[in-house]
Amino acid sequence: MSANADTHDAHDDHHHKETFVTKYIFSQDHKMIAKQYLITGTIMGVIGVIMSLMMRMQIAWPEEPNVIFEALLGKWAPDGVMDADIYLALVTIHGTIMVFFVLTAGLSGTFSNLLIPLQIGARDMASGFLNMVSYWLFFISSIIMVSSFFVEAGPAAAGWTIYPPLSALPLAQGGSGMGMTLWLVSMAIFIASSLLGSLNYVVTVINLRTKGMSMTRLPLTIWAFFVTAIIGIVSFPVLLSAALLLIMDRSFGTSFFLSDIFIQGEVLHYQGGSPVLFEHLFWFLGHPEVYIVILPAMGLVSEIMATNSRKPIFGYRAMITSILAIAFLSTIVWGHHMFISGMNPFLGSVFTFTTLLIAIPSAVKAFNWITTIWKGNIQMNPAMLFSIGFVSTFITGGLTGIILGDSALDINVHDTYFVIAHFHLVMGISALYGMFAGIYHWYPKMFGRMLNKKLGYIHFWITAICAYGVFFPMHFIGMAGLPRRYYTNSNFPLFDDLADTNQIITIFALIGGAIQLIYLWNFFYSIFYGKPAVQNPWRSTTLEWTAPVKHIHGNWEGDLPHVHRWSYDYSKPGHDEDFVMQNVPLKEGEEELQH
């Protein structure tokens, strides 16, 4: 490590003379790149939420003129009435942005970049240049995805899962042309960004840990980021292969995913392909993607709960084992998305078994979080509230996964709002809560200032009430059979009784969306005018809080800190404070906690 430190010290003079462009735009400093990911992800999140609110307004008040539609959608909302095709396009781009650009890149990109070097005692990532390239590829892919709204025929409109033939035939509908091509190009660039970032994270954790930082002394955040990166390296190339084969079907006359297609009575030349093959390729990434989204949030929540309970994390090794078990099981459960695709019933029972099996490590984590805060000296700051909210939505959303994971039960609610409610709670809202918790907790480390705590409380409570107000009733309209992705249900008298429920859901959604403006104001105002942060505002034990508040290249002045104990020495007998930082040597006769 000394050689590593010397190398960085030799370059310090060069880095202190950075220009605005090299410091804030083409930066190779992991802390600045984390901010770039966070702010870009936030902007994409605002776009994604606006799309979801427009969808909700359309569902609640179908075919009624709306000045917002006319202003934002232009030709796709003549006289303020939303066009049917653009509704599916909103579903497609909203899902893509939220899953990939906000919850994958915005969450993992932000906190993996910020915390991996700081928490393992490294000067920076293994490759600062590749780190910079990975961010700019993400930025370019974001621009391409959003730009698809400005092509004449409109953005991709095949659902965020882009199943053929809608995605494979350029003439299928408006969004199947240039909009779909831009979607595929954007995702190919995004996958390249994700792979570069993931490889960097893995190499950094393996090679650049400071002296004394064994794998069993790593914070659970680092374990979560490390395993998430490995899942991404294994599964993202499969989606890239699916996208490339889809491009060949669209542009070069191949038939990987198409067979016996008729358009207006005319037989197209495609034969021999299978759209189910695309489903397999997509969901082989798609289900691990759920855990690429949720594992970083789990790591952040574990750290925040231990810190704000003033207790060691309960079952440290069990938590690591459960992360590894989730990572493995997540790669062998993709078929539960395909129970109604005509798969062999025996194969369906296999996927049912593996799906229900993944509940065990998930339950271990939930049990350990609850046990960590049990009888703790709990500090109820906004980060802790969002962490507790994460556990709540993870459990309530996860319970409905048992129904959807059973092939016999899933058939009844497949492609209804029950599915929407399930995955938005267990993945969407939970991951957002984890992201918010991480922002409130590590904001002082990112920007050197504190967020306004009172605004944080308002943000949490109204968001929590509205999240359940939106997604809890969706379970019931889903069980009543209401199908998802329909831009209006007014043609089906069977669903007339559900119109009032849809309006209530939409009102909660609009309030929940509006309250995020308080968070955004708090976030950007505090960057410039927030209360200056002290070095260790939460009295935490991990190494990032030993680094100076002012950002310097290389993270620490002088030598790197050495590690002498595990990450969770809270309320340890024999010490004056209720926390002992990892770089504090053991006292004579003191034993390191067994964990």
Side-chain angles (χ1 to χ4, degrees):
M1 290 307 301
S2 60
N4 182 39
D6 292 342
T7 303
H8 279 281
D9 291 340
H11 289 288
D12 271 353
D13 291 338
H14 166 73
H15 285 289
H16 283 310
K17 296 172 185 174
E18 288 180 321
T19 64
F20 178 86
V21 171
T22 57
K23 184 175 181 182
Y24 293 105
I25 301 175
F26 296 110
S27 175
Q28 296 186 30
D29 178 16
H30 72 99
K31 301 180 290 297
M32 182 57 66
I33 292 171
K35 294 179 193 176
Q36 291 174 325
Y37 267 110
L38 178 57
I39 291 173
T40 308
T42 299
I43 293 168
M44 293 298 283
V46 170
I47 295 170
V49 168
I50 290 171
M51 289 180 188
S52 69
L53 295 180
M54 286 196 288
M55 290 188 288
R56 283 308 324 163
M57 288 189 283
Q58 168 64 22
I59 288 293
W61 301 287
E63 296 161 20
E64 289 185 21
N66 190 315
V67 292
I68 296 174
F69 293 167
E70 196 166 10
L72 294 180
L73 298 176
K75 67 175 184 178
W76 290 304
D79 301 322
V81 178
M82 186 183 291
D83 183 75
D85 286 343
I86 200 64
Y87 180 82
L88 187 55
L90 289 174
V91 171
T92 303
I93 307 299
H94 161 76
T96 305
I97 284 177
M98 297 307 288
V99 170
F100 294 109
F101 292 84
V102 179
L103 298 179
T104 299
L107 177 57
S108 189
T110 298
F111 291 103
S112 296
N113 267 298
L114 177 72
L115 295 179
I116 287 177
L118 283 167
Q119 289 196 335
I120 69 173
R123 296 286 184 194
D124 206 323
M125 284 289 176
S127 172
F129 176 76
L130 283 184
N131 207 15
M132 177 190 75
V133 171
S134 105
Y135 166 72
W136 279 103
L137 287 174
F138 162 61
F139 181 80
I140 291 167
S141 69
S142 303
I143 295 295
I144 294 172
M145 186 62 69
V146 174
S147 69
S148 66
F149 265 94
F150 300 96
V151 299
E152 187 176 357
W160 77 276
T161 54
I162 59 161
Y163 285 171
L166 281 182
S167 60
L169 294 173
L171 299 177
Q173 58 179 348
S176 297
M178 178 57 74
M180 192 68 239
T181 301
L182 289 172
W183 193 99
L184 290 166
V185 170
S186 172
M187 285 308 300
I189 297 172
F190 177 87
I191 291 166
S193 161
S194 177
L195 288 174
L196 285 178
S198 295
L199 289 168
N200 222 350
Y201 305 151
V202 169
V203 172
T204 304
V205 172
I206 291 174
N207 287 338
L208 296 186
R209 301 191 309 278
T210 191
K211 184 178 179 181
M213 181 62 85
S214 63
M215 294 297 281
T216 52
R217 285 176 171 173
L218 287 173
L220 289 172
T221 40
I222 303 301
W223 270 105
F225 301 146
F226 178 63
V227 173
T228 299
I230 293 171
I231 301 174
I233 292 167
V234 169
S235 57
F236 263 116
V238 179
L239 180 61
L240 181 60
S241 69
L244 292 175
L245 295 178
L246 192 54
I247 289 170
M248 293 177 75
D249 275 9
R250 289 169 55 80
S251 304
F252 300 109
T254 58
S255 300
F256 291 106
F257 306 130
L258 294 170
S259 180
D260 303 330
I261 300 290
F262 292 79
I263 290 186
Q264 295 178 342
E266 180 187 347
V267 184
L268 301 189
H269 67 276
Y270 300 102
Q271 57 183 347
S274 169
V276 176
L277 171 62
F278 181 87
E279 290 191 45
H280 280 291
L281 291 174
F282 181 89
W283 287 115
F284 190 82
L285 161 88
H287 201 80
E289 171 64 21
V290 172
Y291 293 96
I292 290 171
V293 164
I294 206 73
L295 277 177
M298 288 177 168
L300 298 175
V301 163
S302 300
E303 182 76 17
I304 292 165
M305 283 197 159
T307 300
N308 289 297
S309 299
R310 315 311 296 167
K311 280 178 62 182
I313 194 79
F314 184 87
Y316 174 83
R317 288 179 186 266
M319 292 292 253
I320 295 171
T321 305
S322 65
I323 288 172
L324 296 171
I326 285 170
F328 171 70
L329 291 170
S330 72
T331 61
I332 57 171
V333 297
W334 77 90
H336 68 220
H337 296 272
M338 302 168 57
F339 284 145
I340 64 167
S341 67
M343 70 162 58
N344 185 306
F346 174 75
L347 191 58
S349 67
V350 172
F351 281 120
T352 295
F353 174 72
T354 55
T355 301
L356 298 181
L357 207 58
I358 209 168
I360 297 172
S362 300
V364 168
K365 298 193 83 63
F367 173 81
N368 284 9
W369 287 321
I370 293 168
T371 314
T372 298
I373 64 175
W374 177 254
K375 294 190 176 179
N377 179 19
I378 299 175
Q379 321 293 306
M380 280 297 187
N381 51 44
M384 186 62 166
L385 286 172
F386 273 109
S387 297
I388 294 170
F390 169 92
V391 178
S392 168
T393 53
F394 184 71
I395 292 172
T396 51
L399 287 173
T400 53
I402 296 172
I403 296 168
L404 294 171
D406 187 300
S407 54
L409 297 176
D410 174 73
I411 290 169
N412 301 287
V413 288
H414 196 90
D415 269 337
T416 69
Y417 271 86
F418 191 89
V419 178
I420 301 282
H422 160 72
F423 78 77
H424 274 83
L425 272 181
V426 79
M427 185 183 86
I429 298 298
S430 295
L432 279 175
Y433 280 1
M435 189 175 183
F436 284 137
I439 291 167
Y440 279 102
H441 189 76
W442 279 284
Y443 191 91
K445 182 49 60 182
M446 278 191 275
F447 297 103
R449 294 182 181 273
M450 306 294 288
L451 285 164
N452 185 305
K453 189 183 284 190
K454 289 182 180 177
L455 291 180
Y457 290 143
I458 295 170
H459 177 217
F460 169 74
W461 283 111
I462 299 181
T463 299
I465 292 167
C466 290
Y468 273 125
V470 169
F471 296 113
F472 197 73
M474 277 191 191
H475 291 93
F476 298 103
I477 62 176
M479 286 190 288
L482 191 68
R484 60 177 177 168
R485 298 185 181 175
Y486 282 29
Y487 85 111
T488 176
N489 298 297
S490 55
N491 293 330
F492 305 100
L494 172 68
F495 300 130
D496 285 349
D497 291 344
L498 304 179
D500 291 344
T501 307
N502 260 323
Q503 290 175 5
I504 292 169
I505 290 171
T506 302
I507 290 167
F508 273 116
L510 291 169
I511 296 169
I515 209 65
Q516 305 315 308
L517 296 174
I518 289 180
Y519 158 73
L520 290 172
W521 188 87
N522 192 7
F523 181 91
F524 288 106
Y525 179 86
S526 298
I527 291 175
F528 303 102
Y529 304 109
K531 178 184 171 185
V534 297
Q535 186 167 4
N536 190 358
W538 314 118
R539 295 159 55 82
S540 193
T541 60
T542 42
L543 290 184
E544 75 269 29
W545 305 107
T546 65
V549 176
K550 183 182 178 184
H551 288 174
I552 58 171
H553 185 81
N555 294 334
W556 287 272
E557 294 171 336
D559 295 335
L560 292 169
H562 291 177
V563 171
H564 301 278
R565 56 184 73 233
W566 75 317
S567 309
Y568 301 102
D569 266 350
Y570 290 101
S571 302
K572 191 174 185 183
H575 289 271
D576 297 333
E577 299 274 7
D578 69 348
F579 71 106
V580 190
M581 302 193 80
Q582 283 189 280
N583 63 332
V584 175
L586 294 168
K587 293 181 178 180
E588 188 175 345
E590 181 186 359
E591 292 185 8
E592 188 172 0
L593 282 177
Q594 296 297 312
H595 49 268

